[in-house]
Amino acid sequence: TNKRYLAEVISPDLDISFWNFDPIEITIGRGEILKPLEDALDGSLGGDSLAVFLTSSLAYGQEGMGMVKPNTAVMFVLTVEQVEEDKK
């Protein structure tokens, strides 16, 4: 059983002028987001808000990604709007 989460994900550490604040659909186990974010979402309920701090090694490491510079710790704020169980 997979769970799909509709969540708003933002990072106050990043330049939010480029950020899309629309909720995204995330299915746990598909690698759509960083694994530590999946782990934080797993078991959460609609209406939950989570603040997740990732060290650089858990986030984007030595390579960085986009506007995240190499070796940068990042904090994400996730607001879970809806959780659905996929019976497939």
Side-chain angles (χ1 to χ4, degrees):
T1 303
N2 286 331
K3 287 187 181 175
R4 288 192 310 268
Y5 293 83
L6 184 63
E8 180 180 293
V9 182
I10 63 170
S11 177
D13 296 325
L14 305 179
D15 180 355
I16 62 170
S17 64
F18 297 103
W19 205 263
N20 176 0
F21 288 98
D22 294 333
I24 59 172
E25 186 174 304
I26 302 158
T27 302
I28 299 297
R30 290 192 182 162
E32 299 167 342
I33 59 174
L34 294 168
K35 176 74 168 114
L37 293 179
E38 281 192 356
D39 293 343
L41 272 176
D42 196 17
S44 62
L45 304 172
D48 286 352
S49 292
L50 312 165
V52 182
F53 178 80
L54 301 179
T55 62
S56 63
S57 62
L58 291 174
Y60 301 105
Q62 295 178 345
E63 297 82 31
M65 179 177 212
M67 66 180 85
V68 180
K69 295 180 179 164
N71 302 313
T72 301
V74 183
M75 185 176 106
F76 291 91
V77 178
L78 298 89
T79 303
V80 180
E81 294 189 4
Q82 182 179 344
V83 180
E84 296 178 6
E85 279 204 44
D86 186 3
K87 304 277 187 211
K88 295 179 185 177

